[in-house]
Amino acid sequence: MNIEHIAMYVADLEAARDFFIKYLGASSNSGYHNKSTDFRSYFLSFDSGARLEIMTRPQLESFANDTARLGYIHIAFSLGSSEKVDELTARLKADGYEVLSGPRTTGDGYYESCIVAIEGNQIELTV
């Protein structure tokens, strides 16, 4: 068994799609639009692993954006080397994204950083 895809709602669908393509090498389908509900989505694919579905619709509610809250908290991307983690973390920081932690080796042995990316969602970059 494996995870087929993970989904997240966003307010700005095109900006979210552009982020994942620009920084994480995603490829995107042409999108879906349900005209009766105005629901829109893209499926994003990566070199391996689960796909990410980004979605939007009218009247989405936004909740407090606390970095330590119940529920799903981040998506982790394996970049293949500590150098790539360092490079992408520096690039994202230079482009104005907040770096919450790292790059560093965690107590359980992972080399990673964590950034606040699209609409307050956390993305972990790891080897």
Side-chain angles (χ1 to χ4, degrees):
M1 193 175 301
N2 63 345
I3 296 174
E4 199 288 325
H5 76 271
I6 297 166
M8 67 187 276
Y9 272 118
V10 296
D12 189 335
L13 188 62
E14 300 303 322
R17 178 178 177 245
D18 292 347
F19 174 89
F20 286 104
I21 290 170
K22 178 178 181 178
Y23 294 108
L24 295 162
S27 59
S28 176
N29 70 351
S30 59
Y32 169 74
H33 180 212
N34 181 321
K35 291 179 182 177
S36 65
T37 63
D38 207 19
F39 170 87
R40 297 173 185 268
S41 71
Y42 289 109
F43 271 98
L44 305 177
S45 299
F46 303 89
D47 290 339
S48 65
R51 296 182 302 160
L52 176 62
E53 182 181 15
I54 53 174
M55 313 171 298
T56 196
R57 64 181 176 87
Q59 293 115 13
L60 288 173
E61 287 189 39
S62 183
F63 295 97
N65 194 5
D66 189 348
T67 59
R69 63 179 184 267
L70 294 174
Y72 295 106
I73 198 67
H74 68 256
I75 300 172
F77 288 87
S78 173
L79 304 183
S81 72
S82 57
E83 293 80 16
K84 288 181 180 178
V85 172
D86 293 345
E87 290 168 9
L88 185 52
T89 302
R91 181 178 170 203
L92 288 161
K93 184 176 183 176
D95 286 352
Y97 293 96
E98 178 186 1
V99 177
L100 289 178
S101 64
R104 66 190 176 100
T105 301
T106 63
D108 54 356
Y110 286 92
Y111 189 77
E112 66 184 37
S113 67
C114 188
I115 61 154
V116 179
I118 294 301
E119 300 177 15
N121 291 290
Q122 295 177 51
I123 295 187
E124 188 177 276
L125 306 173
T126 187
V127 174

